[in-house]
Amino acid sequence: MSTATPTAATAVFITPEALLAHWQGHRRLTRRVIEAFPDDQLFAFSLGGMRTFGELAMEMLSMAAPMVRGVATGEWSTSWDREARPKEEILRRWDEATGEIDSLWAGIAPEKFQEQMTAFGQYPGVAHDLVLYVIDNEIHHRGQGYVYLRALGIEPPPFYER
Amino acid sequence: MSTATPTAATAVFITPEALLAHWQGHRRLTRRVIEAFPDDQLFAFSLGGMRTFGELAMEMLSMAAPMVRGVATGEWSTSWDREARPKEEILRRWDEATGEIDSLWAGIAPEKFQEQMTAFGQYPGVAHDLVLYVIDNEIHHRGQGYVYLRALGIEPPPFYER
């Protein structure tokens, strides 16, 4: 590490590499939450009139790799498809996204994370905040999945295990 | 900004200053979620045998400022008190924690966020991961609060408003 005193512009809370590891830890946990749902409840069960966890998982998939692709390449596209499908297909798409995120992330110049951009043509923000929004949205909805699982009598995977 | 190509050790995903702003945005949203609960439900209502949102808010309070104080000073102490109390008291404690986090954060040398430490004498980790754990835990439990509010027939504050 440098011994120079960091200035505000170069001070590091977390590096891109460590943030990716943090996120992929969360994504492994979210995958276990998807797995924990019975196949016939994933797109059927909900509470309080909210979306099913299957729909929320489809939303996560529509945001994660597409956001990283947009930051990396400037090409913004995603799918709004939230149709019910077998759990195995969701898990397969999840694993594909994991690989895509890893390989795209490696090609992002660190300066890029401080750039102002407009995600998907409609969400303006600094790239680091746009990426954090996707992670936070995943944690937020996964927390709702924990309540669904408990209400179904299923013990969710431990939050601290990544 | 420096024009030098960042190396792995100095590459910035997000600065301490921007991460604090991000977190305080989340904390303003969590405060609105606490406010949205009827006073007589905050420590009474829950789903699936889970903790009440009042207990979860007390847990958040026991983690947030105490974690930042620990990182800043090396002094690790917190309260495990989860007793029911009026919403106004929770909100007052929340606001006190907001000020404490801001003033302690300003005194943390950025290098500190890359240091390995043991939070509260029992949770080892790199400081940035320990801080992110507190933020993620808040988002996770607040997502559960959204389900409680919906189940109570109350519209939660929008997730994207900070």
Side-chain angles (χ1 to χ4, degrees):
Chain A
M1 267 178 74
S2 166
T3 54
T5 304
T7 63
T10 58
V12 185
F13 174 77
I14 194 167
T15 64
E17 187 183 4
L19 194 280
L20 175 63
H22 177 81
W23 186 13
Q24 292 288 24
H26 273 300
R27 297 186 75 261
R28 285 190 291 275
L29 175 57
T30 306
R31 191 187 194 286
R32 286 196 287 275
V33 172
I34 297 167
E35 273 190 298
F37 273 84
D39 213 336
D40 64 349
Q41 296 297 330
L42 189 57
F43 283 90
F45 185 82
S46 88
L47 290 168
M50 300 177 80
R51 285 174 286 172
T52 64
F53 196 66
E55 289 172 284
L56 297 174
M58 288 293 289
E59 179 183 272
M60 293 173 196
L61 283 170
S62 76
M63 291 170 73
M67 176 67 83
V68 178
R69 196 184 315 122
V71 172
T73 67
E75 283 162 38
W76 297 99
S77 68
T78 189
S79 161
W80 304 107
D81 175 11
R82 304 284 187 269
E83 287 294 300
R85 63 202 70 216
K87 184 165 73 170
E88 283 312 312
E89 185 184 332
I90 304 274
L91 293 173
R92 183 180 53 70
R93 288 184 182 218
W94 199 265
D95 294 338
E96 286 170 4
T98 298
E100 192 181 356
I101 291 166
D102 278 343
S103 58
L104 285 165
W105 195 270
I108 301 175
E111 308 83 47
K112 199 92 168 198
F113 291 114
Q114 316 312 318
E115 279 178 21
Q116 178 79 28
M117 50 186 75
T118 301
F120 305 107
Q122 54 183 320
Y123 306 107
V126 178
H128 60 226
D129 284 324
L130 294 168
V131 170
L132 287 178
Y133 189 88
V134 173
I135 301 172
D136 297 345
N137 188 68
E138 176 178 337
I139 300 168
H140 171 73
H141 287 315
R142 187 183 60 209
Q144 300 173 343
Y146 272 61
V147 187
Y148 293 4
L149 286 173
R150 289 276 184 201
L152 285 165
I154 297 164
E155 170 99 10
F159 178 69
Y160 50 81
E161 259 183 43
R162 307 290 161 82
Chain B
M1 265 179 77
S2 167
T3 54
T5 304
T7 63
T10 58
V12 185
F13 174 77
I14 192 167
T15 63
E17 187 184 4
L19 194 280
L20 175 63
H22 177 81
W23 186 13
Q24 292 289 22
H26 272 301
R27 297 186 75 262
R28 285 191 291 275
L29 174 57
T30 307
R31 191 187 194 285
R32 287 196 286 275
V33 172
I34 298 168
E35 273 189 299
F37 272 84
D39 212 338
D40 64 349
Q41 296 296 331
L42 189 57
F43 283 90
F45 185 81
S46 88
L47 290 169
M50 299 176 81
R51 286 174 286 173
T52 65
F53 196 67
E55 289 173 284
L56 296 173
M58 288 294 289
E59 179 184 272
M60 293 173 197
L61 283 169
S62 77
M63 292 170 73
M67 177 66 83
V68 179
R69 196 185 313 123
V71 172
T73 68
E75 283 163 38
W76 297 99
S77 69
T78 189
S79 162
W80 304 107
D81 176 10
R82 305 285 188 265
E83 286 294 299
R85 62 203 71 217
K87 183 165 72 171
E88 283 313 312
E89 187 184 331
I90 304 275
L91 292 173
R92 183 178 54 70
R93 289 184 183 217
W94 198 265
D95 295 337
E96 286 170 5
T98 299
E100 193 180 356
I101 291 166
D102 278 343
S103 59
L104 285 165
W105 196 270
I108 301 175
E111 307 84 47
K112 200 90 170 200
F113 290 113
Q114 316 312 319
E115 278 177 23
Q116 178 78 28
M117 49 186 77
T118 300
F120 305 107
Q122 55 184 319
Y123 306 108
V126 177
H128 61 226
D129 283 325
L130 294 167
V131 170
L132 288 178
Y133 189 88
V134 173
I135 301 173
D136 297 345
N137 188 68
E138 176 179 336
I139 299 169
H140 172 71
H141 287 315
R142 188 183 59 208
Q144 300 173 343
Y146 271 63
V147 187
Y148 292 4
L149 286 174
R150 290 277 184 201
L152 286 165
I154 297 165
E155 169 98 11
F159 178 70
Y160 51 84
E161 259 183 43
R162 307 289 161 83

